[in-house]
Amino acid sequence: MNTVSLMKNKVSVVLEKKQLQGVIAKVGLVLDISGSMRKLYREGTVQKVVERILAVASQFDDDGALDVWVYDNEFSRLPAVTEKDFVDYVNQRILNDGSIHKFGRNDEPKVMEDVVQKYIKEELSDVPVFLVFINDGGCKPGIKKYIVESSTQPIFWQFVGIGDANFDVLRKLDTMEGRVIDNANFFHIDHIDQVSDEELYENLLNEFPMWLKEAKEKRILR
């Protein structure tokens, strides 16, 4: 039994608790790869994050695949990861790929535009998108435009702040005005590798059920 299989059981427990069994959603993961993240990539923490989110995707996703992006001041849309090929994904697909820009400054709006491009322009479907966005601080205020504009679309943005940097922009997500629906949530973890799977999944899936309900009421979802 691989690590993802074991984590899937933990996801199942949280899904049941939050009455999310049977929900089908596309799952995407955006990973900060700015300079301050270097240590977390080298130590294998980011690989573990990919595996933990893949466990969510394999319970929710229509095809069991996790869509992945990395970004610093540029971004890359990566090949989706599945249970067949997650082992060493971060080394093979990110760190060892010279064409991927890494360890620069962070610029979130560019990658957010591409997320919207993929799910709304290229692959629009009736299936909701659960998008996990990992950032280690200093998020650009320009993210507001994409969150507000996508509030009429079937995308839920779940931001996760890691480390001890400044998360002022993300902390204001819940009070952001101009949206049709509250389509974003944020929580902060000092050390993501020290948080249990149960606590991580509990936090990740905290607001998604409320958004699903409201999105159906507002006919954003069918």
Side-chain angles (χ1 to χ4, degrees):
M1 205 177 205
N2 66 38
T3 50
V4 174
S5 303
L6 293 169
M7 286 185 275
K8 276 163 65 176
N9 298 335
K10 293 173 183 172
V11 177
S12 285
V13 172
V14 178
L15 293 183
E16 196 165 326
K17 198 165 155 190
K18 298 192 180 291
Q19 300 183 323
L20 288 167
Q21 315 101 301
V23 168
I24 292 175
K26 293 180 178 177
V27 183
L29 175 63
V30 175
L31 293 164
D32 186 338
I33 196 165
S34 59
S36 50
M37 289 284 292
R38 191 187 297 263
K39 187 163 177 270
L40 295 179
Y41 277 88
R42 299 272 184 245
E43 288 175 347
T45 301
V46 175
Q47 172 67 30
K48 185 80 199 300
V49 168
V50 169
E51 292 172 18
R52 292 169 98 176
I53 307 301
L54 176 59
V56 177
S58 56
Q59 295 291 56
F60 264 155
D61 201 288
D62 44 352
D63 60 2
L66 175 64
D67 299 321
V68 185
W69 285 260
V70 289
Y71 79 96
D72 53 3
N73 46 301
E74 295 182 23
F75 71 86
S76 299
R77 197 193 287 191
L78 302 179
V81 60
T82 68
E83 281 192 77
K84 293 192 185 80
D85 57 14
F86 72 87
V87 175
D88 210 33
Y89 179 87
V90 167
N91 279 329
Q92 289 180 19
R93 296 292 193 172
I94 302 172
L95 295 179
N96 297 342
D97 186 338
S99 68
I100 290 176
H101 205 272
K102 42 185 103 68
F103 309 131
R105 299 179 316 280
N106 57 308
D107 188 356
E108 291 77 20
K110 286 182 185 169
V111 71
M112 290 176 78
E113 184 176 13
D114 195 61
V115 168
V116 171
Q117 168 75 27
K118 174 179 170 71
Y119 292 125
I120 303 307
K121 298 185 176 148
E122 295 170 21
E123 299 176 7
L124 184 60
S125 78
D126 295 336
V127 175
V129 176
F130 180 65
L131 197 285
V132 179
F133 199 113
I134 308 276
N135 166 266
D136 79 339
C139 208
K140 290 266 178 24
I143 68 169
K144 181 176 176 182
K145 172 178 187 278
Y146 295 97
I147 292 172
V148 170
E149 285 178 3
S150 66
S151 70
T152 57
Q153 304 292 350
I155 302 180
F156 182 78
W157 304 85
Q158 177 59 66
F159 288 88
V160 183
I162 57 174
D164 56 3
N166 175 341
F167 295 104
D168 286 357
V169 172
L170 293 173
R171 289 189 197 285
K172 292 177 186 148
L173 281 179
D174 276 341
T175 54
M176 189 182 285
E177 293 176 348
R179 292 179 290 171
V180 173
I181 185 175
D182 179 355
N183 60 338
N185 185 37
F186 167 71
F187 66 93
H188 170 244
I189 299 172
D190 273 334
H191 302 286
I192 197 161
D193 48 347
Q194 291 172 19
V195 170
S196 71
D197 293 332
E198 290 83 351
E199 188 183 339
L200 180 68
Y201 296 139
E202 192 73 44
N203 279 316
L204 275 176
L205 298 165
N206 189 26
E207 278 194 20
F208 187 52
M210 292 174 266
W211 173 81
L212 281 174
K213 184 171 179 287
E214 201 182 336
K216 281 180 185 149
E217 285 164 5
K218 296 213 161 126
R219 312 221 162 182
I220 292 166
L221 291 174
R222 293 184 184 172

